[in-house]
Amino acid sequence: MTDAAPMTHATSMTHAAPTAHAAPRLRDPAPLPRFLGRLVGAGRRPPGEGSTTAHDLSVRRRLLLALSALLTLSLFLSYEGVHGDANPLRTSSAPAVLAIDTALYALDAAQADATGAPHSFSEFQKQISVAAQSVSLAAADDVGGPAGRQAVQTVSGLITGYTAMVLKAQVEPEGSVLREAYLSYATSILKAEDSGIEARLRDLQREQLAAVERQTSFGPPLWLGWSVAALLVLALGTALVETQLFLRHRFRRRYNRQLIAGGALLAAGFAALVLFTVWTHQGMADTRALLDRTPPGPSVPHAGRQTASYLAHTGFRAAASVWIVIGGVLLMALSETGLRQHINDYRFRPR
């Protein structure tokens, strides 16, 4: 009994020693949810007491790359949805509306010169020339597609017929029945309710104004696209900050220059794209309001100059869509290089 006591004491000391001196297991400073790792295809976490550093780095790397790719796609589509319509509005739709306004005003003035007293044949010829040139300008802007081009060609032919009737009336004696018949027929060509020149031009103008409304509208699809892009920017920015904090805690390095550069690129690029979009959409909205309220007449040239100023630089801003793709690739490259060295240092060992 006397010898058993020391042995028991020694045995208890032997079992207690590991408990007293065992180092606690290191826990991840900011572990991501397991389902997130599976979502981005990072595989299973190491079982047991194995290090999870390589797994956590892989999850963050894949997450940053996936968010960068989704953000690039979302931003490109949303940006193009606004800026893609700016150039057709500037080069086609708006000039066509103003050209038709000019043609309508010139035709009214020509009719007044043809039927009024005293008659001014030279002024009539001048106004007809302005109207024909304006219709030709609308045709050059490819208004309304094939149907619009056909309508413009029909109007051009009717203007030729209208001019011929007025010229025939001019050679007849003042007050003669034949003169009045020619003028009456010319007036019907110009002002017939459904098939006259002015009615056709107004129909064409309504179609162009509808096109302007579609091009300048910021509807639900664009709101949805930009909302998704903003959420992805927030998610990617949060992921960059979290990854930076993870690296700082795990590797005792204060800053990761690639991740900081990626965050700066994200913030500056998104701010620039939003600013460009606001400027372009405001110019398009101002153009639409101007076209809606501009009456045919002498104010049309001034409206044209205002429209040009509203839509200035839209082509340059639309070209920035290429930089969205370049910026997205650069952002993914910065995320990859910022984590690649650490991943190479903590590769999974084959079992």
Side-chain angles (χ1 to χ4, degrees), residues 102-121:
T102 302
L104 287 170
Y105 179 77
L107 288 170
D108 278 341
Q111 176 70 2
D113 292 328
T115 59
H119 304 295
S120 177
F121 183 70

Side-chain angles (χ1 to χ4, degrees), residues 179-257:
R179 178 188 179 93
E180 294 300 324
Y182 284 139
L183 288 178
S184 176
Y185 186 64
T187 301
S188 67
I189 294 175
L190 180 64
K191 296 186 175 293
E193 185 175 351
D194 296 324
S195 58
I197 297 174
E198 292 184 349
R200 293 175 186 272
L201 285 176
R202 290 194 177 94
D203 288 341
L204 189 60
Q205 188 178 50
R206 279 192 292 269
E207 293 177 4
Q208 285 306 109
L209 288 173
V212 168
E213 184 175 1
R214 289 193 301 270
Q215 291 166 346
T216 59
S217 175
F218 200 94
L222 285 177
W223 279 112
L224 177 62
W226 279 100
S227 298
V228 170
L231 289 176
L232 288 173
V233 168
L234 181 61
L236 181 56
T238 302
L240 287 169
V241 172
E242 191 278 336
T243 303
Q244 173 66 52
L245 295 176
F246 173 82
L247 295 178
R248 180 175 179 179
H249 181 92
R250 180 58 60 92
F251 299 101
R252 301 295 190 269
R253 294 185 179 180
R254 191 170 186 180
Y255 300 114
N256 184 294
R257 288 175 294 179

Side-chain angles (χ1 to χ4, degrees), residues 256-332:
N256 184 294
R257 288 175 294 179
Q258 289 88 345
L259 294 183
I260 293 175
L265 174 64
L266 175 66
F270 186 67
L273 293 176
V274 169
L275 191 60
F276 282 1
T277 301
V278 170
W279 286 344
T280 295
H281 180 67
Q282 186 61 53
M284 295 169 72
D286 290 341
T287 298
R288 174 182 171 182
L290 180 65
L291 295 177
D292 286 339
R293 68 172 184 266
T294 299
S299 60
V300 169
H302 177 66
R305 290 190 294 270
Q306 281 189 296
T307 298
S309 67
Y310 290 152
L311 300 176
H313 311 299
T314 54
F316 168 77
R317 292 195 287 267
S321 59
V322 177
W323 289 99
I324 295 177
V325 178
I326 296 174
V329 173
L330 182 58
L331 192 57
M332 287 188 279

Side-chain angles (χ1 to χ4, degrees), residues 6-24:
M7 292 178 62
T8 305
H9 178 69
T11 303
S12 63
M13 291 295 291
T14 302
H15 288 293
T19 304
H21 299 286

